[in-house]
Amino acid sequence: MAVEGVYKYLQSTNRPYSANDIVQNMHKEFGKTAVQKALDDLVTQQRIYEKAYGKQKIYCVKQPEDDGQDNDLAVLEAETEKVTQNYKNVEQEAKEAENSLRELLGAPTTAEAKEQLAKLEEKVETLRTKLAKLSENTVLVSPGERTKIKTEHEKLLKEYRKRKRTCMDIINAIMEGYPKSKKALMEEVGMETDEDVKMPTIQSY
C-alpha cells in the first residue's frame, strides 16, 4: 500500500524529494520507516531513481522513454541540486540559530544583570567611602622629615652592624676552647640570632 501511495505521489508531482520531504508532504499518511522501505522497493523495481548527495538521498520517478528524456533528466538533476542546496542552507541556519540560543541561555537575564549591577555599585561606594576616610587620616611626611628619618636609620643600621660584628668576634674567640657547637654556646649565654627572632632583612635605602 505504501509503495503505490509513494509512487503515485512522486508521479503526480514529478519532482525530486527526500524521504523526509515525502513524509511531510503526504501529511504523514505513512510513517518514515514505511516510506523509506517503499522507496527502496521502488528503486529495486527500477520505477524511480535514487541519487545521493552526501548523507542526503533524493528520489524521483522515472520519465517515459522518449526523445525528451535526457532533457527531463537534466531538469530533474538541476532541481535536485537546488533542493539539496536549500537543505544545506536551512541546516546551516539551524546551526546558527542553535548557537545564538546557547549564547542567550548563557547570558544573565535582565533581572540578574540589574542585581549584579546593584552589587557592584554598592561595592564601589564602599571603596569610595573607605578611600575618603583614609585620605582624611593620612599624614603626609615632608621631604625634610623623610631625609631626617633616612639619616637616622642609616646611623642606627651602621651601629647595629658594628655591635653584631663585635659579638660574633667574641663568640668565635670563645669557640677556640669550647667543646660544644657554636649554637650550643649561643644558647648557653642567651644570645639570639636575627633568624631566631624572625627579624626582617635590614638594608639601607
Side-chain angles (χ1 to χ4, degrees), residues 135-154:
S135 298
E136 291 175 359
N137 297 327
T138 299
V139 179
L140 298 177
V141 179
S142 65
E145 186 69 18
R146 180 179 176 81
T147 300
K148 182 179 179 182
I149 293 172
K150 180 180 177 180
T151 302
E152 185 67 18
H153 173 268
E154 292 286 356

Side-chain angles (χ1 to χ4, degrees), residues 124-182:
V124 169
E125 188 60 32
T126 300
L127 291 174
R128 283 177 177 170
T129 302
K130 185 175 181 180
L131 177 61
K133 290 182 179 179
L134 289 174
S135 298
E136 291 175 359
N137 297 327
T138 299
V139 179
L140 298 177
V141 179
S142 65
E145 186 69 18
R146 180 179 176 81
T147 300
K148 182 179 179 182
I149 293 172
K150 180 180 177 180
T151 302
E152 185 67 18
H153 173 268
E154 292 286 356
K155 179 181 177 182
L156 293 175
L157 181 59
K158 184 177 181 181
E159 184 65 24
Y160 165 79
R161 287 173 175 167
K162 179 181 177 181
R163 294 187 181 187
K164 179 180 179 180
R165 187 165 49 253
T166 300
C167 288
M168 294 310 299
D169 288 343
I170 294 173
I171 291 294
N172 291 332
I174 295 174
M175 282 299 300
E176 293 180 3
Y178 190 73
K180 298 180 183 180
S181 65
K182 181 183 289 188

Side-chain angles (χ1 to χ4, degrees), residues 33 52 66 92 149 200:
T33 302
D66 54 27
Q92 181 62 32
I149 293 172

